[in-house]
Amino acid sequence: GQQVMQIPQYQHVQEGEDFTTYCNSSTTLSNIQWYKQRPGGHPVFLIQLVKSGEVKKQKRLTFQFGEAKKNSSLHITATQTTDVGTYFCAGPAGGTSYGKLTFGQGTILTVHP
Amino acid sequence: GAVVSQHPSWVICKSGTSVKIECRSLDFQATTMFWYRQFPKQSLMLMATSNEGSKATYEQGVEKDKFLINHASLTLSTLTVTSAHPEDSSFYICSARPGLAGSYEQYFGPGTRLTVT
């Protein structure tokens, strides 16, 4: 079945450093989404990428979708303590309707002040 | 917009009893709702997909007779954990999908932390 792999599993950075998490799918994706879950909270939708090679920015966050639509990345510039949390990528589960998603394992980001 | 509520936020119950969790989309109609289970520092494990007016579709390994799902309307889905046991203790999260064409994003409820004693 479809697998979505995400690395690294953990990332510790000093405040002000950059951070990147990578997502790879075993199959081509029609779109990819990114979610953020704060400690003790629930996942919050960040963005959806659809086009091959697409790049989208949200303030200090840059999202990329690979040319082959099988990988994606999230880059945070100059991290802040408010960036702490787990970042998940997710892609449509293959061959299904109803919008079921397959989530990556997530990258837990810790930011030291 | 796109707010999903979940009730209760936490519940403690005795082994053998049943617990019902409600998931509501507050400002949109959800064609589909999803129920997940999440263990500490782990990813989301999809339990079932729920569509209004039809039977839920359960993921492999999830007991449908133990985790009863009812999707009564386009804004409400419920998950009932029947005959709960300590191993059912977990964080249960629902999500709802507005179902707009070409849009797969899901909006999550705040979750329900279930502890079975």
Side-chain angles (χ1 to χ4, degrees):
Chain A
Q2 179 198 53
Q3 290 187 336
V4 177
M5 307 297 292
Q6 204 173 338
I7 57 170
Q9 187 176 0
Y10 299 94
Q11 185 75 60
H12 307 277
V13 299
Q14 286 293 131
E15 190 172 20
E17 293 181 339
D18 293 355
F19 158 76
T20 304
T21 174
Y22 300 90
C23 183
N24 289 285
S25 169
S26 58
T27 60
T28 301
L29 301 171
S30 60
N31 69 87
I32 195 159
Q33 300 170 36
W34 286 91
Y35 293 81
K36 176 184 178 181
Q37 184 175 22
R38 292 181 185 271
H42 61 279
V44 173
F45 173 74
L46 293 177
I47 207 161
Q48 175 177 282
L49 303 172
V50 178
K51 299 177 183 177
S52 169
E54 187 171 15
V55 178
K56 285 189 176 180
K57 292 190 175 184
Q58 290 180 351
K59 297 184 180 178
R60 294 178 294 103
L61 278 61
T62 302
F63 304 84
Q64 289 189 314
F65 200 9
E67 294 289 341
K69 301 183 76 172
K70 294 181 71 174
N71 58 74
S72 181
S73 65
L74 158 59
H75 179 82
I76 301 179
T77 304
T79 55
Q80 298 176 359
T81 55
T82 53
D83 295 323
V84 164
T86 303
Y87 293 84
F88 293 100
C89 62
T96 63
S97 58
Y98 306 128
K100 190 167 76 170
L101 296 174
T102 300
F103 281 82
Q105 304 95 315
T107 295
I108 300 173
L109 173 64
T110 305
V111 179
H112 299 286
Chain B
V3 178
V4 176
S5 71
Q6 199 170 330
H7 178 82
S9 55
W10 59 271
V11 58
I12 301 173
C13 71
K14 292 187 176 180
S15 188
T17 62
S18 295
V19 173
K20 180 185 281 189
I21 303 170
E22 288 189 353
C23 178
R24 293 180 185 271
S25 56
L26 298 185
D27 52 2
F28 66 97
Q29 291 186 328
T31 57
T32 309
M33 288 184 171
F34 303 88
W35 287 95
Y36 295 86
R37 187 171 177 176
Q38 188 177 36
F39 293 101
K41 296 190 176 182
Q42 293 191 24
S43 189
L44 300 156
M45 184 189 82
L46 179 65
M47 299 174 65
T49 302
S50 168
N51 288 281
E52 184 261 342
S54 62
K55 290 183 178 180
T57 302
Y58 290 81
E59 294 299 301
Q60 193 171 12
V62 178
E63 298 176 60
K64 62 180 180 181
D65 294 331
K66 180 169 185 62
F67 299 100
L68 300 178
I69 291 171
N70 182 269
H71 196 145
S73 73
L74 286 172
T75 60
L76 172 63
S77 177
T78 61
L79 167 68
T80 301
V81 183
T82 62
S83 187
H85 291 287
E87 57 264 31
D88 298 324
S89 299
S90 190
F91 190 49
Y92 293 88
I93 315 177
C94 71
S95 71
R97 176 174 173 245
L100 301 175
S103 180
Y104 282 84
E105 70 260 30
Q106 296 180 16
Y107 296 94
F108 286 81
T112 297
R113 191 161 301 283
L114 170 64
T115 302
V116 184
T117 61

